[in-house]
């Protein structure tokens, strides 16, 4: 759904690291070292996971220390000067203490060269590079036979150039000086002016206690603190002329505490708990526009700070009604307080929104879950699930007017019903699942980029919408050496109600549904080319295809209602359908001695060198419909070598 990088904007899919909520888009940009598995939970997860899980949750689970001496070292090289180094070391247990340390470093030159002979000075030689490092420490301690402590620390740092904002569209004669830079094909060189950078430091600490109270009852406590420092600078017009520049300097931190009681007896299993979440942040967002036109240029001061305090109580039970039929029921209550502070104005002039302007509000919500699962056989089961979820309301940190600053937008809620079947067939050679779902959204939150004064977004509760569809996925072991995976998703998304034009008109039939491709497909082939005493050679081919979709909830055709102001049109920023193919040739399990192995892989991503636009920003008619586009990576390839012991 709609994505807004502002720290005041809440996500639709909840991201968790070892059970710790990571609540912001910017704060989720970090490297995780030593991942054991990634759990993907589809559909509303409001009962156990809480706020901001309308579309699901993703829980990244890192590896626990083994208590035995072992580890790996990895080195990789690729085109565009790519270099990757990674290492992990598990130490022998010292008494009841187990430790794992891991680190990773990745660098790559930019794939868009900045012309040295440009008419303006740039801060970089190339755009789209990578320069990241990450570190992770894990310590597990058995404090007693019943009490275990798990500490996790992660740190990730990036210092690289920004992505190229390639000028894709422009509709105005007065912008004639930059019309020659418009291009609708992916560029590998550019002339830009001003600073272009992206820097971040992300760190997190979590402490988990697991206590067995009895054979059937346990207690868990998860305490976490996360910190983010972020800064970036963008040449939004992507040309050597001083037209549009923006920078962000953000600080953000969050604290969470979760307590759980888990148990079961006979046909009943349950979990109940309490959750506390606090966060606060501040962003300084200076902007400069139309400097190329001298006295008509503007420099904007844009700052916002915010704070959230949320508490929740939750419980869920699983009850076996029979050997084949299980009932799941749960309920969560959430209450939260939000505050905003905003400043906006043209530098050197009285502020449009005075420094110190503040507002606060509160929200609460009940999110139930009810499901039935039935074992049709020992290997096939069916289920029916009803769930509700909500996405937190709040204030728009990028508001352009005092009224927009003080007016909170409401929480978005969803009611979802899903039915499906999953199981194993043909002597367990085929694992497959299928599901149909219908999600009914109320007070849907839509973030619309605007260029009225400073570059910012307006946030509205559009009204009501229905998203329904089908998902099918499966894995087939064709032979002992060949495995095929496939998944397909179909979406039917439409508004039932969309109030726009100052709330004067219901335009549900003339508004695009953003980030909702009608179909998506993924295919994967894994084949063993050779198996021998000295190792195994496999080929892995992955292909994904996505149909066209809109980026913004703009009109599909121009509004005729006189109450509707001129607006950008959705087709102007439509992303066309595209497919990507990745290839990997893997040599693995080459043994050196009893406990040491070697593996090597040759990989290619975007094998067909597909040119596709990952995102676009339409500044709208007030800004000559200036539209920068952000392209996905061209073909990349490389070699990775790994030694394990």
């Amino acid at each position: 759904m709609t994505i807004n990088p502002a720290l005041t904007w809440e996500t639709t899919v909840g991201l968790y690291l070892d059970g710790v909520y990571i609540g912001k888009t910017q704060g989720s940009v970090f490297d995780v070292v030593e991942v054991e598995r990634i759990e993907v939970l589809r559909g509303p997860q409001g009962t156990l996971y809480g706020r901001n899980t309308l579309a699901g949750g993703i829980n990244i689970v890192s590896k626990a220390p083994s208590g035995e001496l072992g580890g790996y070292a990895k080195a990789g090289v690729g085109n565009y000067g790519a270099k990757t180094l990674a290492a992990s070391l598990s130490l022998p247990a010292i008494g009841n203490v187990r430790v794992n340390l891991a680190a990773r470093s990745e660098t790559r030159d930019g794939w868009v060269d900045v012309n040295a002979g440009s008419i303006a000075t740039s801060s970089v030689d190339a755009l789209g590079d990578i320069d990241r490092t990450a570190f992770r420490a894990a310590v597990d301690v058995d404090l007693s036979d019943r009490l275990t402590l798990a500490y996790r620390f992660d740190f990730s740092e990036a210092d690289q150039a920004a992505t190229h904002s390639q000028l894709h569209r422009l509709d105005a004669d007065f912008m004639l000086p930059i019309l020659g830079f418009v291009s609708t094909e992916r560029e590998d060189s550019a002339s830009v002016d001003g600073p272009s950078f992206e820097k971040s430091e992300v760190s997190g600490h979590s402490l988990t206690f697991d206590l067995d109270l009895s054979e059937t009852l346990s207690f868990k406590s998860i305490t976490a603190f996360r910190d983010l420092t972020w800064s970036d600078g963008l040449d939004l017009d992507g040309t050597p002329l001083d037209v549009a520049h923006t920078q962000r300097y953000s600080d953000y931190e969050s604290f969470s505490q979760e307590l759980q009681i888990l148990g079961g007896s006979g046909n009943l299993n349950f979990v109940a708990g309490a959750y506390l979440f606090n966060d606060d942040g501040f962003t300084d967002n200076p902007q400069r526009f139309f400097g190329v036109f001298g006295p008509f240029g503007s420099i904007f001061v844009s700052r916002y700070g915010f704070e959230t305090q949320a508490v929740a109580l939750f419980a869920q039970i699983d009850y076996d009604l029979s050997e084949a039929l299980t009932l799941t029921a749960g309920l969560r209550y959430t209450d939260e307080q939000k505050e905003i502070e905003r400043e906006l104005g043209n530098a050197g002039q009285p502020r449009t929104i005075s420094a110190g302007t503040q507002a606060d509000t509160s929200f609460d919500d009940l999110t139930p879950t009810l499901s039935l699962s039935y074992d049709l056989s020992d290997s096939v089961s069916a289920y029916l699930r009803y769930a509700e979820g909500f996405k937190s309301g709040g204030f728009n940190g990028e508001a352009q007017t005092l009224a927009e600053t003080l007016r909170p937008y409401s929480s978005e809620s969803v009611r979802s019903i899903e039915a499906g079947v999953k199981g194993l067939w043909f002597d367990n050679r085929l694992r497959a699942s299928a599901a149909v779902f219908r999600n009914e959204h109320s007070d849907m939150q839509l973030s619309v980029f605007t260029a009225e004064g400073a570059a910012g977004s307006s946030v509205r509760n559009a009204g009501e919408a229905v998203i329904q569809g089908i998902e099918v996925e499966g894995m087939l072991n064709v032979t002992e050496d060949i495995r095929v995976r496939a998944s397909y998703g179909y979406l039917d998304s439409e508004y039932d109600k969309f109030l726009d034009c100052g709330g004067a008109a219901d335009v549900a039939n003339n508004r695009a549904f953003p980030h909702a491709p009608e179909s998506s497909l993924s295919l994967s082939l894994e084949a063993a080319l050779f198996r021998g005493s000295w190792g195994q050679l496999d080929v892995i081919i992955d292909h994904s295809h996505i149909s066209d979709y809109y980026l913004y909830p703009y009109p599909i055709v121009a509004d005729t209602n006189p109450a509707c102001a001129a607006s950008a049109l959705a087709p102007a920023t439509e992303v066309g359908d595209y497919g990507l193919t990745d290839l990997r040739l893997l040599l693995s399990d080459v043994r050196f001695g009893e406990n040491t192995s070697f593996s090597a892989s040759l990989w290619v991503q975007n094998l067909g060198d597909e040119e596709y636009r990952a995102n676009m920003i339409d500044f709208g008619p007030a800004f000559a419909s200036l539209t920068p586009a952000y392209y996905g990576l061209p073909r990349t390839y490389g070699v990775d070598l790994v030694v394990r012991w």
Side-chain angles (χ1 to χ4, degrees):
M1 297 295 286
T2 39
I3 300 296
N4 185 323
L7 283 174
T8 51
W9 182 251
E10 307 287 2
T11 61
T12 303
V13 176
L15 178 63
Y16 297 80
L17 176 60
D18 292 325
V20 176
Y21 177 58
I22 300 172
K24 302 298 178 181
T25 302
Q26 288 182 30
S28 64
V29 181
F30 64 99
D31 287 326
V32 180
V33 188
E34 285 294 81
V35 174
E36 179 177 279
R37 67 183 186 276
I38 298 177
E39 301 171 346
V40 179
L41 306 170
R42 299 175 179 174
Q45 303 296 323
T47 300
L48 288 184
Y49 285 85
R51 61 202 289 269
N52 306 335
T53 55
L54 282 183
I58 299 175
N59 187 26
I60 303 171
V61 181
S62 65
K63 290 183 179 180
S66 65
E68 299 178 355
L69 180 63
Y72 70 85
K74 175 182 177 180
V77 295
N79 61 333
Y80 297 108
K83 298 180 182 65
T84 302
L85 295 173
S88 173
L89 178 63
S90 289
L91 301 176
I94 304 174
N96 294 328
V97 179
R98 301 176 297 279
V99 177
N100 174 265
L101 303 174
R104 187 178 187 274
S105 172
E106 181 180 7
T107 60
R108 189 194 67 212
D109 298 335
W111 59 275
V112 179
D113 294 328
V114 174
N115 296 332
S118 64
I119 63 177
T121 301
S122 172
S123 62
V124 295
D125 297 324
L127 299 169
D129 68 327
I130 290 177
D131 189 351
R132 298 196 292 250
T133 57
F135 173 78
R136 181 253 195 184
V139 180
D140 287 357
V141 183
D142 296 328
L143 299 175
S144 71
D145 292 341
R146 293 189 171 187
L147 179 61
T148 300
L149 174 152
Y151 169 72
R152 301 291 184 267
F153 169 73
D154 66 273
F155 174 82
S156 184
E157 180 180 40
D159 186 357
Q160 52 204 30
T163 304
H164 179 35
S165 296
Q166 180 178 319
L167 187 57
H168 175 78
R169 177 171 170 251
L170 193 66
D171 291 333
D173 291 338
F174 83 94
M175 288 284 206
L176 186 61
I178 64 171
L179 279 175
F181 295 97
V182 174
S183 174
T184 57
E185 297 183 356
R186 186 184 69 200
E187 297 179 337
D188 57 12
S189 64
S191 295
V192 297
D193 65 309
S196 297
F197 60 89
E198 185 178 284
K199 302 178 181 180
S200 70
E201 286 189 5
V202 181
S203 62
H205 302 264
S206 68
L207 192 62
T208 301
F209 287 93
D210 280 294
L211 175 63
D212 292 332
L213 299 172
S214 68
E215 292 184 357
T216 59
L217 192 65
S218 64
F219 169 80
K220 175 181 282 189
S221 168
I222 306 173
T223 307
F225 174 81
R226 299 197 64 82
D227 182 79
L228 164 70
T229 301
W230 174 282
S231 62
D232 63 18
L234 299 174
D235 178 356
L236 284 174
D237 58 280
T239 76
L241 301 178
D242 186 7
V243 178
H245 295 269
T246 182
Q247 297 175 20
R248 285 178 301 176
Y249 301 89
S250 297
D251 289 293
Y252 172 78
E253 61 182 29
S254 65
F255 170 82
S256 62
Q257 174 64 61
E258 182 165 358
L259 303 175
Q260 299 178 8
I261 293 287
L262 306 94
S265 178
N267 295 342
L268 177 68
N269 291 292
F270 70 89
V271 58
Y275 180 73
L276 169 69
F277 177 81
N278 293 336
D279 74 355
D280 63 81
F282 182 84
T283 295
D284 185 7
N285 183 203
Q287 304 171 30
R288 186 175 77 251
F289 301 104
F290 297 124
V292 68
F293 297 108
F296 299 101
S298 300
I299 299 176
F300 282 91
V301 175
S302 176
R303 302 186 180 103
Y304 51 88
F306 63 94
E307 184 175 353
T308 303
Q309 296 180 345
V311 294
L313 299 173
F314 60 91
Q316 182 167 300
I317 63 167
D318 294 327
Y319 185 75
D320 295 331
L321 299 172
S322 68
E323 290 186 1
L325 184 63
T326 299
L327 169 71
T328 299
L331 185 66
R332 187 184 189 102
Y333 173 74
T334 301
D335 181 89
E336 62 182 56
Q337 311 290 321
K338 283 199 170 185
E339 299 178 4
I340 190 73
E341 181 176 345
R342 178 69 168 139
E343 178 185 1
L344 176 70
N346 206 315
Q349 298 182 14
R351 296 288 190 260
T352 305
I353 304 173
S354 301
T357 297
Q358 294 180 322
D360 61 77
T361 189
S362 61
F363 305 93
D364 64 344
D365 203 86
L366 275 172
T367 47
T369 295
L370 183 66
S371 69
L372 286 169
S373 62
Y374 184 74
D375 293 334
L376 300 171
S377 68
D378 291 340
S379 58
V380 180
S381 64
Y383 67 91
L384 178 66
R385 179 177 184 261
Y386 174 82
E388 295 184 12
F390 86 105
K391 180 181 177 186
S392 177
F395 294 97
N396 181 13
E398 297 182 331
Q400 301 296 293
T401 66
L402 178 61
E404 175 86 1
T405 299
L406 300 179
R407 178 179 59 240
Y409 52 90
S410 301
S411 298
E412 178 181 349
S413 60
V414 63
R415 292 175 296 177
S416 172
I417 187 167
E418 178 181 345
V421 60
K422 53 187 175 181
L424 299 170
W425 289 270
F426 306 121
D427 296 327
N428 297 337
R429 289 168 53 196
L430 173 64
R431 179 188 300 271
S433 64
V436 294
F437 62 90
R438 178 182 173 90
N439 296 338
E440 298 180 353
H441 292 252
S442 300
D443 290 322
M444 174 172 276
Q445 297 172 9
L446 296 173
S447 174
V448 182
F449 181 81
T450 62
E452 301 171 356
S457 298
S458 62
V459 178
R460 293 289 183 270
N461 292 106
E464 301 172 357
V466 173
I467 303 174
Q468 55 191 358
I470 302 171
E471 293 178 340
V472 181
E473 60 183 5
M475 180 182 71
L476 174 64
N477 293 316
V478 181
T479 69
E480 183 180 352
D481 295 329
I482 299 176
R483 175 181 296 171
V484 176
R485 302 173 190 263
S487 66
Y488 174 76
Y490 170 79
L491 275 183
D492 176 25
S493 307
E494 60 181 24
Y495 299 107
D496 285 345
K497 186 178 183 181
F498 193 131
L499 297 179
D500 203 354
C501 313
D506 184 352
V507 292
N509 293 327
N510 189 34
R511 287 299 182 271
F513 214 103
H515 296 277
E518 185 175 77
S519 63
S520 57
L521 172 70
S522 67
L523 299 170
S524 176
L525 171 66
E526 304 174 22
L529 303 179
F530 176 83
R531 296 177 188 268
S533 59
W534 56 269
Q536 177 174 326
L537 183 64
D538 296 276
V539 62
I540 304 169
I541 304 174
D542 295 311
H543 177 78
S544 61
H545 187 274
I546 190 169
S547 63
D548 54 287
Y549 60 93
Y550 295 110
L551 289 170
Y552 298 99
Y554 292 156
I556 299 172
V557 298
D559 282 315
T560 58
N561 188 327
C564 300
S567 171
L569 297 181
T573 51
E574 183 180 12
V575 174
D577 66 306
Y578 62 89
L580 300 176
T581 301
D582 299 336
L583 172 68
R584 181 176 294 268
L585 193 63
L586 174 63
L587 175 65
S588 61
D589 202 28
V590 180
R591 311 298 299 184
F592 292 91
E594 184 177 350
N595 298 316
T596 305
S597 66
F598 167 82
S599 65
S601 60
L602 171 66
W603 56 267
V604 183
Q605 293 184 330
N606 191 4
L607 180 65
D609 200 23
E610 178 84 6
E611 295 188 10
Y612 64 100
R613 294 183 295 273
N615 194 19
M616 287 183 281
I617 301 175
D618 191 334
F619 279 61
F623 212 108
S625 294
L626 183 145
T627 304
Y630 300 89
Y631 279 81
L633 279 172
R635 181 190 300 115
T636 56
Y637 50 85
V639 176
D640 292 334
L641 306 175
V642 181
V643 176
R644 300 181 182 274
W645 63 88

